[in-house]
Amino acid sequence: GVASAQSSVTLFGIVDLAARSVKNGNAGSIKSVSPNGQVSSRLGVRGVEDLGGGLRAGFWLEGDLSADDGQAAGQSWQRRSTVSLIGSFGEVRLGRDYNPVFNTFVSHDPFAYVGVASTGNLRSRFYATPVGNAGLAARNNNSISYFLPAMGGLYGQVMIAAPEGARGNKYTGFRLGYAAGPLNFSGAYGKADQTGGMVDDATSLIFGGSFNAGFATFHASYEQADYSTTKRKLATVAAVIPTGTGAFKAQYAKASGATLIGLGYVQGLSKRTSVYTNFGRIANKGNNVYTASPSGPAGMRAGQTSTGYDVGIRHDF
Amino acid sequence: GVASAQSSVTLFGIVDLAARSVKNGNAGSIKSVSPNGQVSSRLGVRGVEDLGGGLRAGFWLEGDLSADDGQAAGQSWQRRSTVSLIGSFGEVRLGRDYNPVFNTFVSHDPFAYVGVASTGNLRSRFYATPVGNAGLAARNNNSISYFLPAMGGLYGQVMIAAPEGARGNKYTGFRLGYAAGPLNFSGAYGKADQTGGMVDDATSLIFGGSFNAGFATFHASYEQADYSTTKRKLATVAAVIPTGTGAFKAQYAKASGATLIGLGYVQGLSKRTSVYTNFGRIANKGNNVYTASPSGPAGMRAGQTSTGYDVGIRHDF
Amino acid sequence: GVASAQSSVTLFGIVDLAARSVKNGNAGSIKSVSPNGQVSSRLGVRGVEDLGGGLRAGFWLEGDLSADDGQAAGQSWQRRSTVSLIGSFGEVRLGRDYNPVFNTFVSHDPFAYVGVASTGNLRSRFYATPVGNAGLAARNNNSISYFLPAMGGLYGQVMIAAPEGARGNKYTGFRLGYAAGPLNFSGAYGKADQTGGMVDDATSLIFGGSFNAGFATFHASYEQADYSTTKRKLATVAAVIPTGTGAFKAQYAKASGATLIGLGYVQGLSKRTSVYTNFGRIANKGNNVYTASPSGPAGMRAGQTSTGYDVGIRHDF
């Protein structure tokens, strides 16, 4: 990144492009170049200013980067756009930000919620209609958060998102966690208020934990979404095995109606650059049509299997 | 900002987010997080190159930053995008830029044309149909301006905006001012040519001045827009009272059919960071429905009162 | 540009604005301010990281900058968005990039494919329906390229663009060239697969060369596009005559149905800033309505003449 002398203002980003193939049962396969093989490509500006007396001000503007086609829709800052005041009291943060439930989920997803091996392929449908609105899944506009300061290993967040006149845009959530030595676990709860077509509020609840055993780090999470009489569940287990400058990653997940197996290998070429390959396979049951990536062909029949693999280059700046 | 060694190229911006409530008469109130509590949030790149012999080249690209939702519409440079040649002869500037009348108005608006206390809440409707096109209000595409060089306290601007085949896009305007010691006053005139649905050209005329009395700076302005038989008027008076690291701001404005009272307090935490609160109240008469902010609820009845307040964090980089 | 200490991450761009007039036969003339008098205005971020052992990683994000109106459509990176691994083996590059045929064409166009004097005014229609898709003309999404390493004066590129399920998006092309002393020549071939409305694949073939005679550099190119029974041809010759800190540029081009004369003069004020003027004249035959710029008026009759001139400021950062 480009940093100034004074306080830090940094222009940063990731360009991650992968050659990918996805096969969706009878619908055949599609070859593509995808901007999110290992993580989501992104571009951003962020900074921190030391105000003295332990007080700091900070901002963070980060947008998606559709590096395969130059982002036809134009640069936005929808990944995160916030301003913060940080002190011994903790952090007050306003803007568009990740919600407490997503913060817990992604901290136990070694595939960073993207790519053919990611549990995001199950979870993205998890919060589809009628369970709730998009804000319940990952990010909320118009949010005000308070984060606990460092207190031993305890950490936590409370978030309220202003409805701005649209009742269903209101989101309230909180997260509480504990990290010490090899152990890190947290739980979170979120609620999106009933809006237009909904007959009830929608809620989500998650627990997740990890244990670093030295030769490998193991992760597990369990998430549940409730809306009226609909209840959806997602359980994940994963392992990351470091190999000097690289890492093997493996993951198994079970959602209502589908299971996922994800495998990956990353070879670091420097702290900022790596090459990698991933493989993912989703087996559907009943009426389900989960796929290993949105970049596969449409028209797969219910209950079929979707597989995907890719090989790519990732460069952080 | 991030500045290079050589000549200056700076990545700059402001993230300003406020928790806000606006009550519009019978229509009730809306709570929101707004990206323009004290000033408009923005992101830009600008630079100056010294060409030798007193000649300089400069550019300025600045866009709105909808920091509350990550700017769904994508990053643009519509606040200003210009290239300049600057020398002892003055400045020649091409691109999208502020027009002379707006430059006079905003130099006497202590609320920077945004937020619940701003006279912008009256003026934004001031140039609505049928008085003229958006270019008459604030900025013009395809403009060519000439700015006077420093000559004692005298300053001035002449602007022409190319119509590019759409007659009503043509804008011509000029501004002349004088600043010396505690005194600063200027006047400006602008004209947008008649286009499609219009039956006449539209013009605007403004005078503004300020006096720094030490314990406070006082501002006043008078603006008038003419189109066919329609004539709209806006008069403002304001005071800014510095308090060490902060400032009180107060403003009264009277437009055709409505009056505004605005109050604000800013507490600086550093040169680049501040917290603040603002209050605004617009009393409508007759058929008018001016509101203290666009973020309030729709459906207020004519002649009712709109009030708004907010509290926020502003960080410049 | 703004560069970091460590490896290079650079925020760069060009703001180039010109006052322009274009006359299109009976349709009259339009005056405009255009963001591409000498080159296309642009904004970008790029960087290179040294990975050791001769290996480098690089990225390039570059977008159009509609500096005359602040780019209403929002900042994109559609000029180029790529990630690369570079070593003694050459370069592997993924993303949205220029195709081999365009790379040859533009290396022999002293007017950089834009402005009133540019052969781009002929070539942009060259690849219009039914010859093929936009990807055949200049850039391709989802591309994977391999570039030869430095091998004497030899250079070359092979590109495949992934169709992503839309057959016509598939592009395959290659380029081979040789540069030594005053001489530089290359040839390239590209093919866009038949898609929806097409009855055949579309192909393009180009040869170009230049010779630096000291007092001037001379360029020539010949390009041919084939689709079903349609065959379009474009031949260009050009000269660039340096004058100390400036340069004269002259160009003649002949397409099927039209000829172009382009003249320009650039006066450098520094390595990064220049002022310039250009003149272009296109004489149409038969049914053709090529124009000296898209910023002229619509409605010219077939076979008429279009002329344009501009004067502008260009600033690189």
Side-chain angles (χ1 to χ4, degrees):
Chain A
V2 174
S4 77
Q6 173 201 21
S7 340
S8 106
V9 176
T10 304
L11 176 65
F12 70 98
I14 298 175
V15 185
D16 179 346
L17 288 171
R20 177 180 292 175
S21 179
V22 176
K23 180 171 192 324
N24 287 346
N26 67 297
S29 72
I30 281 186
K31 288 184 171 48
S32 62
V33 172
S34 291
N36 53 6
Q38 195 188 146
V39 290
S40 296
S41 292
R42 66 196 68 181
L43 182 67
V45 183
R46 64 181 178 224
V48 178
E49 183 194 18
D50 196 332
L51 301 169
L55 198 62
R56 280 169 295 152
F59 73 98
W60 191 295
L61 305 170
E62 180 180 318
D64 260 322
L65 182 65
S66 184
D68 53 341
D69 60 7
Q71 197 167 37
Q75 185 67 49
S76 297
W77 311 108
Q78 296 194 285
R79 290 182 57 83
R80 177 176 163 187
S81 61
T82 61
V83 64
S84 295
L85 273 183
I86 307 153
S88 56
F89 57 84
E91 175 176 356
V92 176
R93 191 188 291 175
L94 282 77
R96 176 173 173 83
D97 198 9
Y98 300 97
N99 68 40
V101 169
F102 184 80
N103 278 337
T104 288
F105 182 83
V106 84
S107 68
H108 298 299
D109 177 356
F111 291 92
Y113 208 56
V114 294
V116 293
S118 166
T119 51
N121 297 313
L122 295 178
R123 194 176 180 268
S124 58
R125 295 197 167 218
F126 191 66
Y127 286 110
T129 313
V131 170
N133 59 18
L136 197 61
R139 297 177 184 89
N140 288 83
N141 292 340
N142 306 300
S143 76
I144 304 178
S145 276
Y146 167 70
F147 293 82
L148 289 178
M151 302 192 307
L154 205 66
Y155 57 87
Q157 174 190 9
V158 182
M159 175 188 270
I160 298 177
E164 300 208 334
R167 195 171 134 68
N169 288 339
K170 182 169 180 184
Y171 176 90
T172 42
F174 68 90
R175 181 189 185 204
L176 206 60
Y178 182 78
L183 222 65
N184 182 4
F185 55 86
S186 61
Y189 172 82
K191 179 162 80 80
D193 282 20
Q194 177 193 344
T195 188
M198 296 169 69
V199 297
D200 195 2
D201 295 345
T203 63
S204 61
L205 181 69
I206 189 168
F207 294 98
S210 64
F211 179 75
N212 184 344
F215 73 99
T217 299
F218 298 95
H219 297 273
S221 73
Y222 175 79
E223 187 171 4
Q224 184 175 312
D226 286 87
Y227 167 69
S228 182
T229 58
T230 306
K231 187 168 295 206
R232 292 181 183 165
K233 299 168 184 180
L234 175 62
T236 72
V237 292
V240 179
I241 307 170
T243 63
T245 56
F248 282 105
K249 301 187 289 191
Q251 184 160 259
Y252 175 81
K254 188 167 162 42
S256 313
T259 57
L260 170 144
I261 293 173
L263 298 170
Y265 181 70
V266 186
Q267 180 56 55
L269 301 178
S270 78
K271 281 191 182 177
R272 290 169 44 205
T273 305
S274 57
V275 291
Y276 59 87
T277 183
N278 291 306
F279 169 81
R281 179 181 182 280
I282 292 186
N284 290 288
K285 287 169 204 161
N287 290 322
N288 288 287
V289 289
Y290 291 95
T291 61
S293 168
S295 48
M300 181 172 70
R301 278 198 290 272
Q304 291 196 314
T305 293
S306 171
T307 55
Y309 60 89
D310 57 21
V311 50
I313 305 171
R314 169 186 172 174
H315 178 71
D316 298 21
F317 60 96
Chain B
V2 174
S4 77
Q6 174 201 22
S7 340
S8 105
V9 176
T10 304
L11 176 66
F12 70 98
I14 297 177
V15 185
D16 179 347
L17 288 171
R20 177 180 292 174
S21 180
V22 175
K23 182 173 191 320
N24 287 347
N26 67 298
S29 71
I30 281 185
K31 288 183 171 51
S32 63
V33 171
S34 291
N36 53 7
Q38 194 188 145
V39 290
S40 296
S41 292
R42 67 195 68 181
L43 182 67
V45 183
R46 65 181 178 224
V48 178
E49 184 195 16
D50 195 332
L51 301 170
L55 199 62
R56 281 168 295 152
F59 73 98
W60 191 294
L61 304 170
E62 181 181 319
D64 260 321
L65 182 64
S66 184
D68 53 341
D69 61 6
Q71 197 169 35
Q75 186 67 49
S76 297
W77 311 108
Q78 296 194 285
R79 290 182 57 84
R80 177 175 162 187
S81 61
T82 61
V83 65
S84 295
L85 273 184
I86 308 154
S88 56
F89 58 84
E91 175 176 356
V92 175
R93 191 188 290 176
L94 282 77
R96 176 173 173 82
D97 198 10
Y98 300 97
N99 69 40
V101 170
F102 184 80
N103 278 337
T104 289
F105 183 83
V106 84
S107 69
H108 298 299
D109 177 356
F111 290 92
Y113 208 57
V114 294
V116 293
S118 165
T119 51
N121 297 312
L122 295 178
R123 194 176 180 271
S124 57
R125 293 195 168 221
F126 191 67
Y127 286 109
T129 315
V131 169
N133 58 19
L136 198 61
R139 296 177 183 91
N140 288 84
N141 292 340
N142 306 300
S143 77
I144 304 178
S145 275
Y146 167 70
F147 293 82
L148 291 178
M151 302 193 306
L154 204 65
Y155 57 87
Q157 175 190 7
V158 182
M159 176 188 269
I160 299 176
E164 300 207 335
R167 195 171 133 68
N169 287 340
K170 182 169 180 185
Y171 176 90
T172 42
F174 67 90
R175 181 189 184 204
L176 206 59
Y178 183 77
L183 221 65
N184 182 5
F185 55 86
S186 61
Y189 172 84
K191 180 163 79 79
D193 281 21
Q194 176 192 344
T195 187
M198 295 169 69
V199 298
D200 195 2
D201 295 345
T203 64
S204 61
L205 182 69
I206 189 169
F207 294 98
S210 64
F211 179 75
N212 184 344
F215 73 99
T217 299
F218 299 95
H219 297 273
S221 74
Y222 176 78
E223 187 170 4
Q224 184 174 311
D226 286 87
Y227 167 70
S228 182
T229 58
T230 305
K231 187 168 294 207
R232 292 181 184 165
K233 299 168 184 180
L234 175 62
T236 72
V237 292
V240 178
I241 307 170
T243 63
T245 56
F248 281 105
K249 301 186 289 190
Q251 184 159 260
Y252 175 81
K254 188 168 162 42
S256 313
T259 57
L260 170 144
I261 292 173
L263 298 170
Y265 181 72
V266 186
Q267 179 56 55
L269 302 177
S270 79
K271 280 192 183 175
R272 288 168 46 204
T273 305
S274 58
V275 291
Y276 60 86
T277 184
N278 291 305
F279 169 81
R281 180 181 181 281
I282 292 185
N284 289 288
K285 286 168 205 161
N287 289 322
N288 288 287
V289 289
Y290 291 96
T291 61
S293 167
S295 47
M300 180 172 70
R301 279 198 289 272
Q304 291 196 315
T305 293
S306 171
T307 55
Y309 61 88
D310 58 20
V311 50
I313 305 172
R314 169 186 172 175
H315 177 72
D316 298 22
F317 59 97
Chain C
V2 174
S4 78
Q6 172 202 21
S7 340
S8 105
V9 175
T10 304
L11 176 65
F12 71 97
I14 298 176
V15 185
D16 180 346
L17 289 171
R20 176 180 292 174
S21 181
V22 176
K23 180 171 192 323
N24 287 345
N26 68 297
S29 72
I30 281 185
K31 289 183 171 48
S32 62
V33 172
S34 291
N36 53 6
Q38 195 187 144
V39 289
S40 297
S41 293
R42 66 196 70 180
L43 182 67
V45 183
R46 65 181 178 224
V48 178
E49 184 195 17
D50 195 332
L51 301 169
L55 198 62
R56 281 169 295 152
F59 73 99
W60 191 296
L61 305 170
E62 180 180 319
D64 260 322
L65 182 64
S66 183
D68 54 340
D69 61 6
Q71 197 167 37
Q75 185 67 49
S76 296
W77 312 107
Q78 296 193 285
R79 290 181 58 83
R80 177 176 163 187
S81 61
T82 62
V83 65
S84 295
L85 273 183
I86 307 154
S88 55
F89 57 84
E91 176 177 354
V92 175
R93 191 188 291 175
L94 282 77
R96 176 173 173 82
D97 198 9
Y98 300 97
N99 68 40
V101 170
F102 184 80
N103 278 337
T104 288
F105 182 82
V106 84
S107 69
H108 298 298
D109 177 356
F111 292 92
Y113 207 57
V114 293
V116 294
S118 166
T119 50
N121 297 311
L122 296 178
R123 195 177 180 270
S124 58
R125 293 195 167 221
F126 191 67
Y127 286 109
T129 314
V131 169
N133 59 18
L136 197 61
R139 296 178 184 90
N140 289 84
N141 291 339
N142 306 300
S143 77
I144 304 178
S145 276
Y146 167 70
F147 292 82
L148 290 179
M151 302 193 307
L154 204 66
Y155 57 87
Q157 175 190 7
V158 182
M159 177 188 268
I160 299 176
E164 300 207 335
R167 196 171 133 68
N169 288 340
K170 182 169 181 184
Y171 176 90
T172 42
F174 68 90
R175 180 189 185 204
L176 205 60
Y178 183 77
L183 222 67
N184 183 5
F185 55 85
S186 61
Y189 172 83
K191 180 163 80 79
D193 281 21
Q194 176 194 345
T195 187
M198 296 169 69
V199 298
D200 194 2
D201 295 345
T203 64
S204 61
L205 182 68
I206 189 169
F207 294 97
S210 64
F211 179 74
N212 184 343
F215 73 100
T217 299
F218 299 95
H219 296 274
S221 73
Y222 175 79
E223 188 171 4
Q224 184 175 312
D226 286 87
Y227 167 70
S228 182
T229 58
T230 306
K231 186 168 294 205
R232 292 182 182 164
K233 298 169 185 181
L234 174 62
T236 71
V237 292
V240 179
I241 307 169
T243 64
T245 56
F248 282 104
K249 301 186 289 191
Q251 184 159 261
Y252 174 80
K254 189 167 162 40
S256 313
T259 57
L260 170 143
I261 293 172
L263 298 170
Y265 181 70
V266 187
Q267 179 57 56
L269 301 178
S270 79
K271 281 192 182 174
R272 289 168 44 204
T273 304
S274 59
V275 290
Y276 60 87
T277 184
N278 291 305
F279 169 81
R281 180 180 182 281
I282 292 185
N284 289 288
K285 288 170 205 162
N287 289 321
N288 287 287
V289 289
Y290 291 95
T291 61
S293 168
S295 47
M300 181 172 70
R301 278 198 289 272
Q304 292 196 314
T305 294
S306 171
T307 56
Y309 61 88
D310 58 19
V311 50
I313 305 172
R314 169 185 172 175
H315 177 72
D316 299 21
F317 60 96

